[in-house]
Amino acid sequence: MSAKIAVITWSLYGHVAELANDAIEGAKAAGAEVKQFQVAETLPSEVLTKMHAHKAATDALPVIKPDDLKEFDGFILAFPTRYGRAPAQVSAFFDQTGGLWATGALVGKFGSVITSTASQHGGLETTALTTIPWFVHHGINFVPIGYQFPELQEVQKIQGSSAYGAGSVTSGDGSLRPTEQDKTVAKGQGKHFANVVGQFVRGKQ
Ligand SMILES: Cc1cc2nc3c(=O)[nH]c(=O)nc-3n(C[C@H](O)[C@H](O)[C@H](O)COP(=O)(O)O)c2cc1C
């Protein structure tokens, strides 16, 4: 039986959505069954227009509902930073998961994080780190990537990934797209996550 993984994305300008697709490619290559979702928007459309939001990469995806989480063995969350932590949209989603928390519905499942920042030290690690409490309170096992990918040792070029998970640096105007290094790590993360979750799923059988 293959691992069932939900890739849950909120991406205003498409950078993280691109990395999420790379992670999906990696997870599928490792034999996982993958379904992709978007997180519900909470900003008014006039604000999104002023922010020049470009959500074409995720607009067609189904919006994740708390009960959807029960159907999966693991979740890869993909969202950009907001002040070094998760966007309010993601927080609003987790605020709706109290019923799942109360019944322990997510205990023993797995989670991983992919993110992006505009600046090089704008919070890639803190964004993943401050997501862990949601996992901890739900009993979800956080799956980091460690330093298994040589790309993580790169110091001559900008690279957005860390031991916490894949990431990209987008620049203030969003002109930097995820690099080949970022995409390789995201794909590797998807594969690693699918292997970890898959091993657990098979072991339980
Ligand atoms: C309200 C707001 C807060 C942000 N906070 C940060 C930040 O703390 N550090 C940073 O480097 N970039 C910050 N950014 C830039 C976003 O992280 C960047 O636009 C994002 O990584 C692009 O990813 P996306 O294309 O997937 O939306 C912020 C952007 C907004 C709109």
Side-chain angles (χ1 to χ4, degrees), residues 85-96:
R85 53 188 281 280
Q89 289 81 350
V90 177
S91 195
F93 172 70
F94 274 101
D95 284 3
Q96 298 170 55

Side-chain angles (χ1 to χ4, degrees), residues 9-18 51 54 78-85 115-124 127 168-172 174 177:
T9 309
W10 184 85
S11 177
L12 204 56
Y13 306 107
H15 297 82
V16 163
E18 191 174 332
M51 292 175 83
H54 184 73
F79 49 74
T81 196
R82 289 292 179 264
Y83 310 109
R85 53 188 281 280
T115 191
S116 70
T117 58
S119 57
Q120 206 169 348
H121 301 286
L124 288 155
T127 301
S168 74
V169 178
T170 69
S171 85
R177 300 310 299 181

Side-chain angles (χ1 to χ4, degrees), residues 22-95:
D22 295 320
I24 289 170
E25 198 183 321
K28 283 184 175 168
E33 194 184 311
V34 183
K35 184 165 180 190
Q36 199 178 2
F37 294 90
Q38 62 169 314
V39 175
E41 188 51 74
T42 58
L43 289 174
S45 57
E46 57 269 29
V47 173
L48 292 170
T49 304
K50 282 184 182 162
M51 292 175 83
H52 307 290
H54 184 73
K55 298 181 73 181
T58 53
D59 265 346
L61 297 174
V63 173
I64 187 85
K65 307 259 183 322
D67 274 350
D68 293 328
L69 298 177
K70 290 196 268 188
E71 307 303 318
F72 296 90
D73 305 303
F75 323 107
I76 297 177
L77 305 183
F79 49 74
T81 196
R82 289 292 179 264
Y83 310 109
R85 53 188 281 280
Q89 289 81 350
V90 177
S91 195
F93 172 70
F94 274 101
D95 284 3

Side-chain angles (χ1 to χ4, degrees), residues 117-137:
T117 58
S119 57
Q120 206 169 348
H121 301 286
L124 288 155
E125 286 168 303
T126 59
T127 301
L129 189 64
T130 52
T131 298
I132 292 174
W134 282 317
F135 293 157
V136 169
H137 283 255

Side-chain angles (χ1 to χ4, degrees), residues 93-106:
F93 172 70
F94 274 101
D95 284 3
Q96 298 170 55
T97 60
L100 298 175
W101 169 81
T103 54
L106 306 183

Side-chain angles (χ1 to χ4, degrees), residues 19 22-23 26 145 149-151 161 166 178-191:
L19 293 182
D22 295 320
I145 55 175
F149 308 112
E151 286 79 4
S161 302
T179 65
E180 277 313 308
Q181 289 190 129
D182 301 333
K183 292 169 70 64
T184 300
V185 176
K187 191 172 165 183
Q189 180 171 352
K191 194 169 177 187

